[in-house]
Amino acid sequence: MVGLARLLRGNAHAALENVALWHERDISHSSVERVILPDSFIALDHMLRRFTRIVRGLVVNVDRMRENLNRSRGVVFSGTVLLELAKKGVSREQAYEWVQRAAMRSFDEHRDFKALLLSDPEVIRVLSSSKSSGRSISTNS
């Protein structure tokens, strides 16, 4: 699927190169189109059929997914926290330092990432002011 997606993007790129001279169509345009159009539709048809078969047979083990997510003790959300701190005006470097500090403690001490963030005065000082916008770190999961 990934390889065929790459192929389709490559074909789209070839099609976009035709745009530069759309007003001066010549044989170079049609030769590209004669190859990429049928090839792209055949590849896409195959991809859709294969992906449909994959998804139709997909088995989701919700308990295992929850267990895998919980293994990180919430560190999986560190990127979101970093972006929220940056939106509130904290430099990216400072936000990274705060988030990394909490993430490393979470792993080293086997503690909940969110609890560590909630106990960090620097993080709370910045994010508690976002309560009015409805995007604060709440204690509800």
Side-chain angles (χ1 to χ4, degrees), residues 54-104:
I54 290 169
V55 172
R56 188 175 290 134
L58 186 65
V59 176
V60 177
N61 184 328
V62 175
D63 292 333
R64 183 66 177 162
M65 287 177 66
R66 188 172 290 114
E67 180 187 333
N68 287 340
L69 284 171
N70 289 336
R71 280 181 173 200
S72 79
R73 295 178 189 84
V75 175
V76 68
F77 301 109
S78 61
T80 304
V81 175
L82 187 130
L83 291 175
E84 199 60 35
L85 286 166
K87 283 182 192 174
K88 297 297 287 180
V90 177
S91 75
R92 189 159 178 82
E93 293 79 15
Q94 184 65 67
Y96 183 84
E97 183 182 317
W98 292 347
V99 170
Q100 184 184 41
R101 179 177 60 212
M104 296 305 287

Tab-separated table of all heavy atoms in Angstrom, residues 54-104:
chain	number	residue	atom	x	y	z
A	54	ILE	N	-8.411	-5.763	3.839
A	54	ILE	CA	-7.658	-5.666	5.092
A	54	ILE	C	-8.561	-5.167	6.217
A	54	ILE	O	-8.615	-5.751	7.302
A	54	ILE	CB	-6.436	-4.738	4.932
A	54	ILE	CG1	-5.388	-5.397	4.032
A	54	ILE	CG2	-5.834	-4.381	6.288
A	54	ILE	CD1	-4.279	-4.462	3.595
A	55	VAL	N	-9.290	-4.079	5.956
A	55	VAL	CA	-10.131	-3.484	6.988
A	55	VAL	C	-11.298	-4.404	7.339
A	55	VAL	O	-11.669	-4.523	8.513
A	55	VAL	CB	-10.633	-2.087	6.544
A	55	VAL	CG1	-11.667	-1.543	7.504
A	55	VAL	CG2	-9.457	-1.129	6.425
A	56	ARG	N	-11.850	-5.074	6.357
A	56	ARG	CA	-12.967	-5.981	6.608
A	56	ARG	C	-12.550	-7.104	7.556
A	56	ARG	O	-13.324	-7.535	8.397
A	56	ARG	CB	-13.481	-6.575	5.297
A	56	ARG	CG	-14.762	-7.360	5.470
A	56	ARG	CD	-15.333	-7.837	4.152
A	56	ARG	NE	-15.845	-6.682	3.409
A	56	ARG	CZ	-15.609	-6.456	2.111
A	56	ARG	NH1	-14.894	-7.301	1.409
A	56	ARG	NH2	-16.098	-5.398	1.521
A	57	GLY	N	-11.314	-7.558	7.449
A	57	GLY	CA	-10.836	-8.638	8.306
A	57	GLY	C	-10.132	-8.169	9.565
A	57	GLY	O	-9.611	-8.976	10.335
A	58	LEU	N	-10.117	-6.869	9.784
A	58	LEU	CA	-9.395	-6.311	10.925
A	58	LEU	C	-10.074	-6.692	12.236
A	58	LEU	O	-11.290	-6.591	12.380
A	58	LEU	CB	-9.352	-4.783	10.799
A	58	LEU	CG	-8.519	-4.019	11.805
A	58	LEU	CD1	-7.043	-4.370	11.636
A	58	LEU	CD2	-8.720	-2.529	11.598
A	59	VAL	N	-9.281	-7.142	13.163
A	59	VAL	CA	-9.772	-7.472	14.497
A	59	VAL	C	-9.145	-6.476	15.464
A	59	VAL	O	-7.922	-6.338	15.504
A	59	VAL	CB	-9.384	-8.910	14.896
A	59	VAL	CG1	-9.805	-9.206	16.331
A	59	VAL	CG2	-9.984	-9.904	13.925
A	60	VAL	N	-9.979	-5.775	16.205
A	60	VAL	CA	-9.504	-4.777	17.155
A	60	VAL	C	-9.709	-5.306	18.565
A	60	VAL	O	-10.831	-5.611	18.959
A	60	VAL	CB	-10.253	-3.434	16.967
A	60	VAL	CG1	-9.812	-2.425	18.015
A	60	VAL	CG2	-10.048	-2.904	15.570
A	61	ASN	N	-8.628	-5.415	19.289
A	61	ASN	CA	-8.685	-5.836	20.675
A	61	ASN	C	-8.586	-4.569	21.526
A	61	ASN	O	-7.505	-4.051	21.782
A	61	ASN	CB	-7.538	-6.803	20.978
A	61	ASN	CG	-7.609	-7.357	22.377
A	61	ASN	OD1	-8.061	-6.689	23.302
A	61	ASN	ND2	-7.142	-8.580	22.537
A	62	VAL	N	-9.749	-4.086	21.949
A	62	VAL	CA	-9.828	-2.807	22.667
A	62	VAL	C	-9.019	-2.845	23.961
A	62	VAL	O	-8.308	-1.883	24.285
A	62	VAL	CB	-11.302	-2.439	22.945
A	62	VAL	CG1	-11.408	-1.179	23.787
A	62	VAL	CG2	-12.051	-2.274	21.639
A	63	ASP	N	-9.104	-3.942	24.684
A	63	ASP	CA	-8.367	-4.027	25.948
A	63	ASP	C	-6.865	-3.952	25.718
A	63	ASP	O	-6.144	-3.286	26.458
A	63	ASP	CB	-8.716	-5.322	26.682
A	63	ASP	CG	-10.160	-5.333	27.173
A	63	ASP	OD1	-10.708	-4.243	27.419
A	63	ASP	OD2	-10.731	-6.437	27.292
A	64	ARG	N	-6.385	-4.611	24.673
A	64	ARG	CA	-4.949	-4.587	24.357
A	64	ARG	C	-4.522	-3.189	23.911
A	64	ARG	O	-3.446	-2.713	24.282
A	64	ARG	CB	-4.638	-5.611	23.260
A	64	ARG	CG	-3.187	-5.710	22.924
A	64	ARG	CD	-2.397	-6.249	24.086
A	64	ARG	NE	-1.011	-6.381	23.657
A	64	ARG	CZ	-0.005	-6.490	24.462
A	64	ARG	NH1	-0.198	-6.528	25.756
A	64	ARG	NH2	1.207	-6.586	23.999
A	65	MET	N	-5.375	-2.519	23.142
A	65	MET	CA	-5.059	-1.149	22.713
A	65	MET	C	-4.955	-0.229	23.933
A	65	MET	O	-4.025	0.574	24.037
A	65	MET	CB	-6.123	-0.627	21.743
A	65	MET	CG	-6.058	-1.251	20.373
A	65	MET	SD	-7.369	-0.679	19.287
A	65	MET	CE	-6.945	1.039	19.113
A	66	ARG	N	-5.921	-0.364	24.841
A	66	ARG	CA	-5.905	0.470	26.052
A	66	ARG	C	-4.652	0.183	26.875
A	66	ARG	O	-3.991	1.097	27.372
A	66	ARG	CB	-7.166	0.215	26.868
A	66	ARG	CG	-7.323	1.161	28.035
A	66	ARG	CD	-8.678	1.024	28.722
A	66	ARG	NE	-9.734	1.542	27.856
A	66	ARG	CZ	-10.700	0.787	27.305
A	66	ARG	NH1	-10.754	-0.496	27.540
A	66	ARG	NH2	-11.617	1.327	26.536
A	67	GLU	N	-4.305	-1.102	26.994
A	67	GLU	CA	-3.094	-1.481	27.733
A	67	GLU	C	-1.852	-0.868	27.088
A	67	GLU	O	-0.985	-0.327	27.780
A	67	GLU	CB	-2.961	-3.006	27.767
A	67	GLU	CG	-1.741	-3.506	28.502
A	67	GLU	CD	-1.569	-5.010	28.371
A	67	GLU	OE1	-2.575	-5.719	28.186
A	67	GLU	OE2	-0.417	-5.469	28.458
A	68	ASN	N	-1.766	-0.924	25.771
A	68	ASN	CA	-0.610	-0.349	25.074
A	68	ASN	C	-0.537	1.161	25.272
A	68	ASN	O	0.552	1.716	25.470
A	68	ASN	CB	-0.664	-0.683	23.581
A	68	ASN	CG	-0.327	-2.133	23.310
A	68	ASN	OD1	0.285	-2.807	24.126
A	68	ASN	ND2	-0.748	-2.613	22.160
A	69	LEU	N	-1.672	1.829	25.214
A	69	LEU	CA	-1.682	3.275	25.442
A	69	LEU	C	-1.292	3.608	26.881
A	69	LEU	O	-0.541	4.549	27.133
A	69	LEU	CB	-3.058	3.865	25.127
A	69	LEU	CG	-3.393	4.014	23.653
A	69	LEU	CD1	-4.856	4.401	23.480
A	69	LEU	CD2	-2.492	5.037	22.994
A	70	ASN	N	-1.784	2.821	27.814
A	70	ASN	CA	-1.494	3.080	29.228
A	70	ASN	C	-0.052	2.773	29.597
A	70	ASN	O	0.453	3.289	30.591
A	70	ASN	CB	-2.449	2.297	30.123
A	70	ASN	CG	-3.851	2.852	30.062
A	70	ASN	OD1	-4.063	4.018	29.741
A	70	ASN	ND2	-4.830	2.004	30.345
A	71	ARG	N	0.620	1.953	28.807
A	71	ARG	CA	2.027	1.635	29.090
A	71	ARG	C	2.890	2.888	29.091
A	71	ARG	O	3.904	2.948	29.780
A	71	ARG	CB	2.581	0.671	28.055
A	71	ARG	CG	2.207	-0.742	28.302
A	71	ARG	CD	2.802	-1.637	27.263
A	71	ARG	NE	2.530	-3.008	27.657
A	71	ARG	CZ	3.185	-4.037	27.217
A	71	ARG	NH1	4.161	-3.876	26.352
A	71	ARG	NH2	2.889	-5.226	27.625
A	72	SER	N	2.514	3.881	28.302
A	72	SER	CA	3.305	5.110	28.239
A	72	SER	C	2.988	6.050	29.401
A	72	SER	O	3.600	7.096	29.519
A	72	SER	CB	3.065	5.833	26.908
A	72	SER	OG	1.844	6.541	26.931
A	73	ARG	N	2.007	5.671	30.229
A	73	ARG	CA	1.575	6.497	31.363
A	73	ARG	C	1.176	7.903	30.923
A	73	ARG	O	1.342	8.869	31.647
A	73	ARG	CB	2.661	6.557	32.432
A	73	ARG	CG	2.942	5.243	33.088
A	73	ARG	CD	4.051	5.357	34.111
A	73	ARG	NE	4.446	4.041	34.566
A	73	ARG	CZ	5.308	3.252	33.932
A	73	ARG	NH1	5.871	3.651	32.817
A	73	ARG	NH2	5.613	2.070	34.405
A	74	GLY	N	0.693	8.016	29.682
A	74	GLY	CA	0.227	9.305	29.184
A	74	GLY	C	1.260	10.087	28.397
A	74	GLY	O	0.950	11.131	27.831
A	75	VAL	N	2.483	9.604	28.335
A	75	VAL	CA	3.544	10.314	27.616
A	75	VAL	C	3.210	10.415	26.124
A	75	VAL	O	3.697	11.310	25.437
A	75	VAL	CB	4.920	9.656	27.863
A	75	VAL	CG1	6.008	10.306	27.020
A	75	VAL	CG2	5.281	9.757	29.339
A	76	VAL	N	2.333	9.552	25.658
A	76	VAL	CA	1.920	9.600	24.256
A	76	VAL	C	1.314	10.972	23.912
A	76	VAL	O	1.325	11.384	22.766
A	76	VAL	CB	0.941	8.438	23.939
A	76	VAL	CG1	-0.382	8.629	24.640
A	76	VAL	CG2	0.729	8.279	22.449
A	77	PHE	N	0.847	11.694	24.909
A	77	PHE	CA	0.246	13.008	24.695
A	77	PHE	C	1.236	14.163	24.856
A	77	PHE	O	0.846	15.325	24.864
A	77	PHE	CB	-0.950	13.204	25.640
A	77	PHE	CG	-2.015	12.174	25.442
A	77	PHE	CD1	-2.226	11.188	26.387
A	77	PHE	CD2	-2.787	12.173	24.298
A	77	PHE	CE1	-3.199	10.216	26.202
A	77	PHE	CE2	-3.771	11.215	24.094
A	77	PHE	CZ	-3.978	10.230	25.048
A	78	SER	N	2.508	13.858	24.969
A	78	SER	CA	3.505	14.905	25.212
A	78	SER	C	3.564	15.923	24.069
A	78	SER	O	3.749	17.117	24.312
A	78	SER	CB	4.885	14.291	25.439
A	78	SER	OG	5.302	13.569	24.296
A	79	GLY	N	3.399	15.462	22.838
A	79	GLY	CA	3.417	16.385	21.702
A	79	GLY	C	2.293	17.395	21.776
A	79	GLY	O	2.475	18.584	21.475
A	80	THR	N	1.129	16.935	22.193
A	80	THR	CA	-0.025	17.832	22.325
A	80	THR	C	0.233	18.871	23.411
A	80	THR	O	-0.089	20.048	23.235
A	80	THR	CB	-1.289	17.009	22.661
A	80	THR	OG1	-1.462	16.022	21.651
A	80	THR	CG2	-2.513	17.890	22.728
A	81	VAL	N	0.801	18.440	24.516
A	81	VAL	CA	1.109	19.373	25.608
A	81	VAL	C	2.132	20.395	25.137
A	81	VAL	O	1.989	21.604	25.389
A	81	VAL	CB	1.619	18.613	26.857
A	81	VAL	CG1	2.055	19.589	27.940
A	81	VAL	CG2	0.555	17.670	27.380
A	82	LEU	N	3.158	19.940	24.438
A	82	LEU	CA	4.187	20.845	23.931
A	82	LEU	C	3.573	21.909	23.022
A	82	LEU	O	3.860	23.105	23.150
A	82	LEU	CB	5.258	20.053	23.176
A	82	LEU	CG	6.450	20.881	22.757
A	82	LEU	CD1	7.733	20.188	23.167
A	82	LEU	CD2	6.458	21.109	21.271
A	83	LEU	N	2.700	21.492	22.114
A	83	LEU	CA	2.062	22.453	21.207
A	83	LEU	C	1.164	23.427	21.960
A	83	LEU	O	1.110	24.619	21.631
A	83	LEU	CB	1.252	21.709	20.141
A	83	LEU	CG	2.069	20.923	19.120
A	83	LEU	CD1	1.154	20.127	18.200
A	83	LEU	CD2	2.956	21.857	18.307
A	84	GLU	N	0.478	22.944	22.973
A	84	GLU	CA	-0.396	23.819	23.757
A	84	GLU	C	0.424	24.855	24.516
A	84	GLU	O	0.038	26.025	24.591
A	84	GLU	CB	-1.243	22.971	24.711
A	84	GLU	CG	-2.469	23.670	25.222
A	84	GLU	CD	-3.444	24.097	24.136
A	84	GLU	OE1	-3.602	23.398	23.126
A	84	GLU	OE2	-4.053	25.177	24.305
A	85	LEU	N	1.558	24.442	25.051
A	85	LEU	CA	2.438	25.400	25.742
A	85	LEU	C	2.955	26.456	24.759
A	85	LEU	O	2.986	27.644	25.076
A	85	LEU	CB	3.613	24.671	26.395
A	85	LEU	CG	3.293	23.865	27.649
A	85	LEU	CD1	4.435	22.925	28.002
A	85	LEU	CD2	2.980	24.799	28.811
A	86	ALA	N	3.314	26.015	23.572
A	86	ALA	CA	3.811	26.948	22.558
A	86	ALA	C	2.710	27.925	22.149
A	86	ALA	O	2.967	29.120	21.952
A	86	ALA	CB	4.332	26.188	21.345
A	87	LYS	N	1.474	27.440	22.044
A	87	LYS	CA	0.347	28.334	21.705
A	87	LYS	C	0.136	29.398	22.767
A	87	LYS	O	-0.333	30.490	22.468
A	87	LYS	CB	-0.951	27.527	21.570
A	87	LYS	CG	-1.086	26.763	20.296
A	87	LYS	CD	-2.434	26.046	20.280
A	87	LYS	CE	-2.520	25.050	19.172
A	87	LYS	NZ	-3.762	24.258	19.231
A	88	LYS	N	0.477	29.040	24.015
A	88	LYS	CA	0.303	29.985	25.116
A	88	LYS	C	1.484	30.949	25.240
A	88	LYS	O	1.544	31.733	26.179
A	88	LYS	CB	0.102	29.235	26.428
A	88	LYS	CG	-1.158	28.378	26.470
A	88	LYS	CD	-2.424	29.173	26.342
A	88	LYS	CE	-2.696	29.932	27.598
A	88	LYS	NZ	-3.910	30.737	27.545
A	89	GLY	N	2.443	30.859	24.315
A	89	GLY	CA	3.532	31.827	24.289
A	89	GLY	C	4.852	31.343	24.848
A	89	GLY	O	5.826	32.096	24.869
A	90	VAL	N	4.919	30.111	25.313
A	90	VAL	CA	6.180	29.569	25.815
A	90	VAL	C	7.057	29.231	24.610
A	90	VAL	O	6.564	28.709	23.608
A	90	VAL	CB	5.920	28.294	26.659
A	90	VAL	CG1	7.218	27.671	27.125
A	90	VAL	CG2	5.016	28.627	27.840
A	91	SER	N	8.342	29.549	24.696
A	91	SER	CA	9.236	29.212	23.582
A	91	SER	C	9.238	27.700	23.395
A	91	SER	O	9.067	26.937	24.352
A	91	SER	CB	10.657	29.711	23.844
A	91	SER	OG	11.290	28.892	24.803
A	92	ARG	N	9.465	27.281	22.181
A	92	ARG	CA	9.464	25.845	21.885
A	92	ARG	C	10.547	25.122	22.696
A	92	ARG	O	10.335	24.011	23.182
A	92	ARG	CB	9.662	25.632	20.393
A	92	ARG	CG	9.455	24.203	19.968
A	92	ARG	CD	9.161	24.137	18.470
A	92	ARG	NE	8.999	22.785	18.030
A	92	ARG	CZ	7.883	22.079	18.143
A	92	ARG	NH1	6.818	22.623	18.690
A	92	ARG	NH2	7.819	20.842	17.713
A	93	GLU	N	11.697	25.760	22.857
A	93	GLU	CA	12.781	25.158	23.614
A	93	GLU	C	12.395	24.973	25.076
A	93	GLU	O	12.647	23.922	25.668
A	93	GLU	CB	14.057	26.014	23.513
A	93	GLU	CG	14.671	26.053	22.128
A	93	GLU	CD	13.955	27.020	21.173
A	93	GLU	OE1	13.159	27.880	21.621
A	93	GLU	OE2	14.182	26.883	19.965
A	94	GLN	N	11.771	26.005	25.658
A	94	GLN	CA	11.356	25.920	27.065
A	94	GLN	C	10.252	24.878	27.233
A	94	GLN	O	10.299	24.068	28.161
A	94	GLN	CB	10.860	27.287	27.568
A	94	GLN	CG	10.505	27.291	29.035
A	94	GLN	CD	11.717	27.040	29.911
A	94	GLN	OE1	12.618	27.857	29.965
A	94	GLN	NE2	11.764	25.905	30.586
A	95	ALA	N	9.280	24.891	26.333
A	95	ALA	CA	8.187	23.913	26.401
A	95	ALA	C	8.741	22.494	26.289
A	95	ALA	O	8.329	21.594	27.026
A	95	ALA	CB	7.177	24.177	25.282
A	96	TYR	N	9.685	22.300	25.384
A	96	TYR	CA	10.299	20.983	25.212
A	96	TYR	C	10.993	20.546	26.500
A	96	TYR	O	10.882	19.391	26.923
A	96	TYR	CB	11.292	21.011	24.048
A	96	TYR	CG	11.903	19.668	23.763
A	96	TYR	CD1	11.248	18.741	22.953
A	96	TYR	CD2	13.129	19.303	24.309
A	96	TYR	CE1	11.799	17.501	22.701
A	96	TYR	CE2	13.688	18.064	24.060
A	96	TYR	CZ	13.018	17.166	23.260
A	96	TYR	OH	13.562	15.932	23.013
A	97	GLU	N	11.694	21.473	27.124
A	97	GLU	CA	12.396	21.149	28.367
A	97	GLU	C	11.412	20.702	29.454
A	97	GLU	O	11.634	19.698	30.132
A	97	GLU	CB	13.192	22.362	28.853
A	97	GLU	CG	14.007	22.103	30.096
A	97	GLU	CD	14.740	23.354	30.557
A	97	GLU	OE1	15.293	24.071	29.715
A	97	GLU	OE2	14.750	23.588	31.788
A	98	TRP	N	10.318	21.449	29.614
A	98	TRP	CA	9.324	21.109	30.634
A	98	TRP	C	8.681	19.753	30.345
A	98	TRP	O	8.526	18.929	31.225
A	98	TRP	CB	8.241	22.170	30.701
A	98	TRP	CG	8.695	23.507	31.214
A	98	TRP	CD1	9.873	23.802	31.848
A	98	TRP	CD2	7.971	24.732	31.124
A	98	TRP	NE1	9.917	25.137	32.155
A	98	TRP	CE2	8.765	25.738	31.731
A	98	TRP	CE3	6.747	25.082	30.609
A	98	TRP	CZ2	8.348	27.052	31.820
A	98	TRP	CZ3	6.323	26.393	30.696
A	98	TRP	CH2	7.124	27.369	31.303
A	99	VAL	N	8.277	19.552	29.100
A	99	VAL	CA	7.598	18.306	28.727
A	99	VAL	C	8.556	17.130	28.839
A	99	VAL	O	8.195	16.063	29.348
A	99	VAL	CB	6.993	18.426	27.305
A	99	VAL	CG1	6.499	17.085	26.801
A	99	VAL	CG2	5.867	19.451	27.292
A	100	GLN	N	9.788	17.319	28.391
A	100	GLN	CA	10.770	16.244	28.477
A	100	GLN	C	11.055	15.885	29.932
A	100	GLN	O	11.172	14.710	30.279
A	100	GLN	CB	12.063	16.632	27.764
A	100	GLN	CG	13.079	15.500	27.754
A	100	GLN	CD	14.400	15.904	27.141
A	100	GLN	OE1	14.882	17.009	27.377
A	100	GLN	NE2	14.975	15.020	26.349
A	101	ARG	N	11.141	16.886	30.770
A	101	ARG	CA	11.393	16.643	32.188
A	101	ARG	C	10.292	15.758	32.785
A	101	ARG	O	10.571	14.762	33.459
A	101	ARG	CB	11.480	17.980	32.931
A	101	ARG	CG	11.710	17.862	34.423
A	101	ARG	CD	11.852	19.217	35.089
A	101	ARG	NE	10.648	20.025	34.902
A	101	ARG	CZ	10.657	21.354	34.799
A	101	ARG	NH1	11.782	22.044	34.843
A	101	ARG	NH2	9.530	22.017	34.648
A	102	ALA	N	9.050	16.095	32.477
A	102	ALA	CA	7.925	15.295	32.994
A	102	ALA	C	7.911	13.898	32.374
A	102	ALA	O	7.650	12.902	33.061
A	102	ALA	CB	6.605	16.015	32.715
A	103	ALA	N	8.198	13.815	31.090
A	103	ALA	CA	8.196	12.513	30.407
A	103	ALA	C	9.286	11.598	30.968
A	103	ALA	O	9.041	10.406	31.214
A	103	ALA	CB	8.380	12.711	28.908
A	104	MET	N	10.458	12.146	31.184
A	104	MET	CA	11.558	11.338	31.710
A	104	MET	C	11.261	10.874	33.141
A	104	MET	O	11.525	9.724	33.489
A	104	MET	CB	12.875	12.127	31.661
A	104	MET	CG	13.327	12.475	30.246
A	104	MET	SD	13.471	11.053	29.163
A	104	MET	CE	14.933	10.302	29.801
